[in-house]
Amino acid sequence: MTATLTNDSSARLPGLLRRLTGDEKHAPSAHSTIDVLQVLYDRVLRVTPDTVDDPERDRFLLSKGHGPAAYYAVLAAHGFIPDGWLDDLAGPESRLGHHPDRLLVPGVEIGSGSLGHGLGLAVGTALGLRAQGLRKPRVYVLLGDAELDEGSNHEAIAYAGATGLDSLTAVVVDNSSASHGWAGGIASRFTVNGWTADTVDGRNHDDLYAALTGHRPPHPHLVVASIKSKG
């Protein structure tokens, strides 16, 4: 079933992205995430500029934090940051660095860019919410497939599955850039540890929406968003 868009940012995003210059070498990384980010902020996440400090908000963690242009554009499209900030990416007075900084950018939950940390932080966030008795918020974390070469992720995968962190959804943008990979695909590395998983076209918004909202308690959930190989 096709969901009704709640806040379609499609008309604004191209113009906002064009305002971000100076990090062209990471443009492929940024554009690989744009569709997932758009669907999350348009249709899935329960967070607004007015609720960034609300304990009951959903949390989104960008682990794939290098080349964050698409993330900044989506935040601007949804009113978390002023559009004008996009014109000074990584400038001397800019709040927008080449890696997002949670202390400088409203709506950003973690400082990221050093790959391999986001999934562990997401697991810790989900555990913290559980310990506080906050059952409604969901935690979403966006990773790249090459990032899964970092061993820290596999401890997080195993722990989340073993403890039934069903408030957690990991999204892996798969452009076949990982050095290693796994027989049977990315999803198999998660499902063997008790996760549920959906693999979808990473450019198809309806398929992404269905997968991002397709969590099946009591298990953590994985969405593999497959896009054209960067090679």
Side-chain angles (χ1 to χ4, degrees), residues 199-223:
T199 299
V200 297
D201 179 349
R203 301 300 189 193
N204 185 305
H205 287 203
D206 286 335
D207 288 353
L208 283 169
Y209 174 79
L212 290 165
T213 57
H215 36 272
R216 301 181 279 280
H219 309 282
H221 187 55
L222 169 71
V223 176

Side-chain angles (χ1 to χ4, degrees), residues 50-70:
D50 295 327
T51 62
V52 291
D53 295 318
D54 187 340
E56 294 287 349
R57 73 190 184 280
D58 288 341
R59 273 72 166 175
F60 171 71
L61 281 60
L62 181 69
S63 186
K64 186 180 169 69
H66 58 295

Side-chain angles (χ1 to χ4, degrees), residues 161-199:
T163 54
L165 280 182
D166 57 6
S167 64
L168 175 63
T169 294
V171 187
V172 177
V173 173
D174 180 13
N175 61 359
S176 302
S177 62
S179 299
H180 305 302
W182 304 273
I186 290 173
S188 65
R189 184 64 185 85
F190 286 74
T191 56
V192 75
N193 281 290
W195 292 57
T196 57
D198 293 311
T199 299

Side-chain angles (χ1 to χ4, degrees), residues 1 3 12 22 37 42 58 64 66 129 131 145 149 151 161 175 217:
M1 180 176 67
R12 297 198 65 211
L37 290 167
D42 282 3
D58 288 341
K64 186 180 169 69
H66 58 295
L129 291 170
D145 62 323
D149 289 343
N175 61 359

Side-chain angles (χ1 to χ4, degrees), residues 7-27:
N7 190 0
D8 188 359
S9 60
S10 299
R12 297 198 65 211
L13 278 176
L16 293 171
L17 276 170
R18 285 193 293 270
R19 297 177 69 159
L20 289 146
T21 61
D23 193 25
E24 284 73 16
K25 71 176 182 178
H26 283 128

Side-chain angles (χ1 to χ4, degrees), residues 119-148:
L119 185 55
L121 288 169
V123 168
T125 300
L127 281 171
L129 291 170
R130 175 189 283 182
Q132 296 174 75
L134 296 171
R135 294 289 184 169
K136 190 173 182 179
R138 292 201 59 79
V139 179
Y140 292 84
V141 55
L142 177 59
L143 310 96
D145 62 323
E147 192 174 350
L148 293 178

